[in-house]
Amino acid sequence: MTATLLSLIALFLSGFIMYLGHGLNNILVPSRLSSEGISADNIGLVMAMFSVGLLLGGLYARRLMVRVGHIRLYTASAAIGAISILVCYLWLNEWLWAVMRILIGFSIAATNIVADGWLSERATNETRSRILSINQVVMLSAMFLGSFLVNLAPVNEATLYIIGGLMFCAGVIPIALSKVPVPDIDDSPRMPMIQLAKISPAGVTSVLMCGLLLGSVLALLAVYAKNKGITGVDVSLLFGAAILGGFILQFPIGYLADRFNRRSVIMYCTLISMVAVSLVPFSVELDWFICTLLLVALSSGIMATLYPLGVSESFDRLQQNQMSAAMGSMMILYAAGGVIGPILAGFMMEKFGDNSFFAMLAVMHAIFVIFIFYRTKMRVSIPIEQQEAFVAQGASGIVSAELDPRTEYTDTIPELSPAAQTAVDMATHHPELAIDMVMLIAKANPEQVNEVAGAVAAIDGMDVTELYNRLNELTPSQDTELAQSIIAASTEAPAELVSAVFEEAESEDIPELAASMAEASPEQSLDIIEAATEAVLVDDNPEAVVEIAEAYLSNVSDNLEDMRYADRLADESEQNITDMVSMIAEKAPDQAVDVAAAAVEAVPESASDVMEALHEHDAIDDLVSDLKDKPDQA
């Protein structure tokens, strides 16, 4: 781990320097606009454009990486950030500044995505969470310290703008001079927003509310402070409290979220935040500055946790292979909230006074609490022990989707050996010669026969039955492994191939062979079990039918036990079990009761469907009688 972190020092240093400029700019822009007498609603609109830039960066940065590469995109994005800061000093115009906010939002999003790619490339499953945490600390500490740089000079002088621009330029130097390998670009498709909202309404809403609430605070807190007579270092302290609270509270709230019902944690934490934001105006009026800092830190900290809480709640209900696609949609929701929140907050401050800023935040909290309470009554909660682990991030207003360890779903085809790749190329271009090529490879390298056979069997149009028969003659000692490789690779292995495998196998070997083949090719498991059943019936060995079923059920039970909650709900194993019982009740009715009993014992959730399947085959009475005769296991 230490060696990995040392190799990433240049990247962390670049990010730290750049986020110093970003932290300065976040407080400089609203402070300057407020000092120039710009209305709160226009300030809110200008600040909201940062999230528009974040959204555009999230949508298009990877496409640009494909075209120009990581280093060039990182350098160009840093230059865009520097330009956007310097232009704001040259011309004071709300519309121009709004465009500059879009540019710096894009700059931050693009540099963050590039950095995430580099970090993700160097991370392993064991180090990913720690690298994510360190990256968050780097960003937050830089933004915290950057907010104090505003006190170095008046906001209407060139000094602060030059410092901000220099930070973005200097941030490129460490990474440009280091030897960081270029990672692969993974641009996974996004899950449709409607689909994600149907799967996890509470999670989606939590992410949206985080963008709305936290975006409002980061955008207009400095304006509110100035209007209330809070100036100088105190403004930086107030802004820094919001950032620091967003980082510190991630850990205790994450601890609670992993040990209690997640939606309840969201609801009660939001209630606490609602009380805190409601008390801020009173604390300011009483001039209790320390109390104000604590209230802002508490409320902002809870707001910042709504993003990782929402992601965790969504991941609880998503299949493992859906997580990465869902992250893209959740980042869009987060950015959308960041656009809506500051605009709405600025409008409220302009029309109803400064205190309406926190009143609006309190009302939004209340609406969110009501919605979460409603969702707890509409859907049963996931068992606590099956909830996804909480991963802290997003406290800085920037999320790191690629570093989230939960999205590391590996379902990729392993890299082929040169021999297997040669056979695949031959099968693709000259399928009539492919089997001959495989035979030549198998003779020269018998240890590679299973890999080569599996690779070729995956090619459309390949005669996998002939492939198996010819290879089996050459390497009869590997018949079981060979059959598994071919059937697992072939999307639709023909019935005659499956039957041929069992016809050649010894009767006592068929149960384990059937179970292993079904596990290797779950989509064809029922066909495999049916072929195995027919094979033992042909050999006049009906007792083996139960052994086949029990071997298969044992594998299914073990697999289901290891599955995540959402993956288990989406799994078709229970339906396959019911279909298997129905099939055996038809082909071997005398064994149906024992098979059904084994199915209910292995997967209790399938009991009702299994009973119904037996009822359809008039075997229900036998099952009930059999269960009554079994000794009490208690």
Side-chain angles (χ1 to χ4, degrees), residues 145-162:
L145 295 174
S147 65
F148 286 88
L149 295 177
V150 75
N151 299 290
L152 295 177
V155 296
N156 57 353
E157 293 184 2
T159 303
L160 297 178
Y161 300 90
I162 294 173

Side-chain angles (χ1 to χ4, degrees), residues 417 419-420 423-424 437-438 441-442 448-457 467 471:
S417 65
V424 168
M437 173 62 74
V438 173
I441 294 174
Q448 291 185 306
V449 64
N450 293 325
E451 180 200 4
V452 175
V456 173
L467 176 66
L471 286 174

Side-chain angles (χ1 to χ4, degrees), residues 275-295:
V275 173
V277 296
S278 300
L279 292 176
V280 169
F282 298 101
S283 177
V284 172
E285 294 298 331
L286 294 172
D287 200 23
W288 293 349
F289 186 65
I290 299 298
C291 181
T292 302
L293 291 178
L294 293 175
L295 289 172

Side-chain angles (χ1 to χ4, degrees), residues 16-85:
F16 181 82
I17 296 172
M18 200 170 297
Y19 274 87
L20 279 174
H22 177 46
L24 168 61
N25 191 58
N26 270 349
I27 195 170
L28 175 60
V29 170
S31 298
R32 172 70 186 280
L33 290 174
S34 180
S35 69
E36 296 291 344
I38 305 300
S39 62
D41 54 347
N42 282 344
I43 295 176
L45 177 62
V46 171
M47 296 301 291
M49 293 302 102
F50 175 80
S51 292
V52 174
L54 281 181
L55 178 58
L56 293 175
L59 292 175
Y60 298 109
R62 285 179 174 80
R63 299 184 188 180
L64 289 174
M65 275 195 290
V66 173
R67 293 180 57 186
V68 302
H70 287 70
I71 291 289
R72 289 180 179 176
L73 178 60
Y74 196 90
T75 305
S77 297
I80 290 172
I83 290 171
S84 67
I85 294 175

Side-chain angles (χ1 to χ4, degrees), residues 206-499:
S206 184
V207 170
L208 178 66
M209 291 301 297
C210 179
L212 194 154
L213 297 171
L214 187 62
S216 300
V217 170
L218 296 179
L220 291 169
L221 185 60
V223 176
Y224 174 85
K226 178 182 180 300
N227 293 345
K228 290 296 183 179
I230 301 174
T231 58
V233 176
D234 287 348
V235 178
S236 297
L237 287 171
L238 197 62
F239 193 83
I243 295 175
L244 198 60
F247 175 68
I248 294 175
L249 288 186
Q250 299 254 342
F251 301 99
I253 291 178
Y255 178 86
L256 294 174
D258 284 340
R259 287 159 180 80
F260 297 95
N261 179 276
R262 189 153 283 153
R263 288 181 298 184
S264 296
V265 172
I266 293 174
M267 183 172 65
Y268 289 120
C269 287
T270 305
L271 279 171
I272 295 172
S273 180
M274 181 180 70
V275 173
V277 296
S278 300
L279 292 176
V280 169
F282 298 101
S283 177
V284 172
E285 294 298 331
L286 294 172
D287 200 23
W288 293 349
F289 186 65
I290 299 298
C291 181
T292 302
L293 291 178
L294 293 175
L295 289 172
V296 168
L298 176 61
S299 59
S300 298
I302 292 175
M303 294 175 199
T305 62
L306 291 180
Y307 176 84
L309 283 171
V311 172
S312 297
E313 169 65 19
S314 298
F315 280 6
D316 286 342
R317 303 184 184 277
L318 287 167
Q319 297 177 50
Q320 181 78 50
N321 58 0
Q322 294 177 317
M323 290 182 176
S324 181
M327 285 297 290
S329 298
M330 283 188 276
M331 291 179 68
I332 292 175
L333 281 168
Y334 180 76
V339 174
I340 298 170
I343 293 176
L344 182 59
F347 174 80
M348 294 294 294
M349 290 177 68
E350 183 66 22
K351 298 299 181 183
F352 303 104
D354 296 322
N355 287 334
S356 65
F357 173 46
F358 286 98
M360 181 211 79
L361 294 179
V363 170
M364 297 305 298
H365 279 74
I367 293 173
F368 182 49
V369 167
I370 293 172
F371 177 76
I372 294 297
F373 179 76
Y374 166 75
R375 291 304 310 171
T376 61
K377 302 301 180 183
M378 290 296 295
R379 180 189 284 182
V380 177
S381 298
I382 291 175
I384 295 172
E385 64 276 6
Q386 297 188 42
Q387 292 182 156
E388 284 292 324
F390 177 91
V391 175
Q393 67 163 307
S396 62
I398 309 296
V399 295
S400 300
E402 288 191 34
L403 281 175
D404 193 317
R406 297 166 298 185
T407 63
E408 280 299 291
Y409 174 68
T410 55
D411 189 25
T412 57
I413 300 174
E415 185 177 352
L416 296 177
S417 65
Q421 187 60 57
T422 300
V424 168
D425 293 339
M426 179 63 73
T428 303
H429 299 96
H430 303 284
E432 70 280 359
L433 302 177
I435 295 180
D436 293 331
M437 173 62 74
V438 173
M439 294 294 292
L440 291 174
I441 294 174
K443 289 178 181 178
N445 301 289
E447 68 279 359
Q448 291 185 306
V449 64
N450 293 325
E451 180 200 4
V452 175
V456 173
I459 305 298
D460 291 338
M462 179 58 56
D463 188 342
V464 292
T465 302
E466 183 183 356
L467 176 66
Y468 169 78
N469 289 332
R470 292 185 62 182
L471 286 174
N472 191 36
E473 293 176 1
L474 182 65
T475 57
S477 61
Q478 301 185 46
D479 56 345
T480 300
E481 296 82 0
L482 181 62
Q484 290 175 354
S485 299
I486 293 176
I487 292 174
S490 177
T491 55
E492 293 185 2
E496 60 266 23
L497 170 59
V498 178
S499 299

Side-chain angles (χ1 to χ4, degrees), residues 87-107:
V87 167
C88 287
Y89 173 73
L90 296 176
W91 295 283
L92 179 63
N93 179 283
E94 297 101 308
W95 297 108
L96 178 63
W97 279 41
V99 174
M100 294 302 104
R101 288 293 291 174
I102 294 175
L103 291 180
I104 198 168
F106 180 89
S107 170

